Amino acid sequence: MASETHAHVTDAHDPHAFTGAADAAAADAGAGARRDRAVRAAVERGLLDVEPVVCLLDVAGIRASAAALTGAFAAHLAPGTPVLHAFAVKAAPLVPVLRLLAASGLGCEVAGPGELALARAAGVPAERTVLDSPAKTQAELREALALGIAVNVDNRQELERLDALVAAAPTASPIGVRINPQTGAGTIDALSTATATSKFGIALRDPGAREWLVRNYVRRPWLTRLHVHSGSQGVPLPLIAAGVRELHALAEEINAAAGRRQVDTLDIGGGLPVNFASDATTPTYEEYARALREAVPTLFDGSYGLVTEFGRSLLAKHGTVLARVEYTKVTGGRPIAVTHAGVQLATRTVYAPQAWPLRVLPYDAKGAPKTGPPLVQDVAGPACFAGDLLATARQLPELAPGDVIALPDTGAYFFTAHYGYNSLLRPAVYGFTTGAPHGVGFALARPAQSLAALVDEAGGALGDALLA
Ligand SMILES: *Cc1c(COP(=O)(O)O)cnc(C)c1O
């Protein structure tokens, strides 16, 4: 197991490492084994004795995903083509994670002052940072242009703001416009950005929009990029690739109208879906690169630099929530295990369980995988509303107080997107490695929120404010 882990780390340092199908299967099996070791070590070292819930990140897994991403694109791109893989910070807004990814050659995609501050705190340079957001303020735009951060314009009014800002001060920022290719929805409405009426970007198929875009690019020589982000969980690869095909065709049209290669870089967004049903990584970056090549045969030929903005697919598989089972009960004939992980960490799963099912992996009180005859149970969280359920009628070995449950695949948009219901504390996040000489190593990546901090953020120092 240790040697497997070393193999991943070695791969991660070679951006051109190619992860074939057999390698990928071995890597997936390795991830499950590493998680089991980390759970055992976390329990043995008392991480769950301080607080009843803790979050883990598999450092080798994150490195391997970053290497798979850079390797897959490098394998297809013409040599020397500029490429920036900008991690979508919202997927895991933790400075140590951004720094780890930066060490693997990635930049950051940010959507506002908070995420930009995190990217800067991680030391990610302006030229490896991309600013997207449908609601950028004047101040944010001015700061981004002053720093030289790439900006993707969302709408016509924002473009007018940029006219004024670009005229007022020279900038090193590459600037592009986000389009909505209107290629259609995936299986999750709330996450589908390419519907006819999505709020993002300039809708390409609306009457007159295409001509408007071409005309307005040709008038503005500083518009050198085009942006699309049309994938997400629930969107199949060919549909994501169709959005990129629209982007590429528009760039060609603009460049023909301009009579030169005005658009030199295509930002193709992120949006690769993640498999929440097993440890298998599907689809892979290599499969996505091939789908892109099929849909847009000239995409990788070097005539355009590329920017990507992956989030979920880089981090999801590498995060695990661990929580103690506090009590068990039987209600209306249904066994229920009440745990300390619920809506505060798995908000989407609790509110939209059909769209966001999570696996629940049972471990005993000592952190060993729990086996036993399956029993249909509910797994509940600690929050005071009836719907706070991680799983309903799930077949699991019978859970008991003191047992531990693990929620794998929660490295993106789950425990890093804490929901403050019931003033439940933000748990600590530890990165783990399994190749250390003394077994599993843990490194604190986010401290647990303290009760004092919680009170302070809730206006603790302003107690009399409303009495005056
Ligand atoms: C959220 C987002 C991403 C990342 O999406 P994933 O599905 O996590 O890969 C990339 N670009 C933009 C503009 C986004 O809003």
Side-chain angles (χ1 to χ4, degrees):
M1 222 171 318
S3 63
E4 261 173 38
T5 306
H6 286 307
H8 298 309
V9 172
T10 311
D11 280 354
H13 291 305
D14 175 6
H16 300 285
F18 173 74
T19 307
D23 290 352
D28 295 339
R34 288 199 300 276
R35 183 179 53 233
D36 282 349
R37 291 185 61 198
V39 173
R40 165 82 79 160
V43 171
E44 283 174 356
R45 290 191 221 162
L47 297 189
L48 280 169
D49 300 343
V50 195
E51 299 289 343
V53 57
V54 70
C55 309
L56 303 181
L57 285 171
D58 177 354
V59 174
I62 297 172
R63 283 188 194 272
S65 283
L69 168 60
T70 53
F73 277 78
H76 288 273
L77 272 171
T81 309
V83 58
L84 169 65
H85 298 291
F87 173 65
V89 171
K90 73 173 182 284
L94 298 176
V95 173
V97 168
L98 306 183
R99 177 85 53 96
L100 173 64
L101 292 171
S104 294
L106 275 60
C108 283
E109 184 265 351
V110 302
E115 291 178 2
L116 177 56
L118 297 180
R120 295 183 78 185
V124 175
E127 63 274 14
R128 304 188 69 73
T129 305
V130 179
L131 174 64
D132 295 329
S133 149
K136 307 177 201 79
T137 64
Q138 287 274 14
E140 281 171 53
L141 288 169
R142 200 174 298 117
E143 187 192 15
L145 296 187
L147 291 169
I149 289 169
V151 174
N152 288 316
V153 175
D154 181 81
N155 57 67
R156 299 178 188 214
Q157 292 169 358
E158 191 186 337
L159 189 57
E160 285 170 18
R161 281 189 178 177
L162 278 166
D163 282 338
L165 292 170
V166 168
T171 176
S173 293
I175 304 173
V177 174
R178 176 170 181 173
I179 62 151
N180 168 6
Q182 293 169 303
T183 38
T187 58
I188 306 175
D189 280 344
L191 267 71
S192 296
T193 57
T195 62
T197 57
S198 158
K199 75 172 183 178
F200 295 111
I202 293 190
L204 197 54
R205 296 182 187 178
D206 280 6
R210 204 177 178 93
E211 299 69 25
W212 184 92
L213 279 163
V214 173
R215 205 166 56 239
N216 280 279
Y217 260 75
V218 172
R219 269 187 210 152
R220 292 174 178 80
W222 43 270
L223 284 177
T224 57
R225 292 191 171 184
L226 269 173
H227 176 218
V228 70
H229 169 67
S230 68
S232 196
Q233 191 64 22
V235 180
L237 293 191
L239 194 57
I240 311 178
V244 177
R245 185 174 60 224
E246 296 292 320
L247 189 79
H248 183 269
L250 178 63
E252 292 286 288
E253 197 175 325
I254 290 169
N255 287 346
R260 65 194 186 90
R261 311 283 314 158
Q262 178 178 334
V263 176
D264 59 20
T265 301
L266 300 178
D267 181 338
I268 64 171
L272 200 67
V274 159
N275 168 20
F276 286 95
S278 77
D279 281 336
T281 300
T282 54
T284 62
Y285 289 116
E286 173 56 26
E287 284 160 350
Y288 181 48
R290 268 189 255 134
L292 285 172
R293 193 165 197 153
E294 205 161 290
V296 201
T298 55
L299 181 67
F300 296 113
D301 70 3
S303 38
Y304 294 98
L306 283 188
V307 177
T308 72
E309 306 172 339
F310 294 101
R312 179 175 292 110
S313 54
L314 279 163
L315 257 293
K317 302 299 288 177
H318 312 306
T320 301
V321 173
L322 294 188
R324 285 278 183 204
V325 176
E326 192 68 45
Y327 299 108
T328 56
K329 57 166 81 169
V330 179
T331 298
R334 173 71 55 86
I336 304 171
V338 180
T339 79
H340 287 277
V343 73
Q344 83 276 34
L345 305 170
T347 315
R348 284 175 168 168
T349 300
V350 168
Y351 285 121
Q354 307 298 331
W356 298 102
L358 281 177
R359 289 183 284 158
V360 176
L361 307 178
Y363 293 85
D364 66 20
K366 293 187 166 151
K370 187 161 190 171
T371 53
L375 176 74
V376 172
Q377 302 162 73
D378 286 359
V379 182
C384 295
F385 73 101
D388 188 20
L389 297 169
L390 296 169
T392 308
R394 187 74 57 93
Q395 292 214 352
L396 292 170
E398 183 173 7
L399 291 167
D403 284 352
V404 174
I405 58 151
L407 307 175
D409 312 323
T410 50
Y413 302 105
F414 279 90
F415 58 76
T416 53
H418 186 84
Y419 175 54
Y421 193 91
N422 265 161
S423 299
L424 291 164
L425 296 171
R426 274 192 306 271
V429 178
Y430 291 88
F432 71 84
T433 50
T434 53
H438 306 292
V440 180
F442 291 103
L444 185 66
R446 177 182 78 183
Q449 186 182 28
S450 67
L451 286 172
L454 178 116
V455 171
D456 186 52
E457 288 169 27
L462 309 170
D464 291 338
L466 305 182
L467 295 175

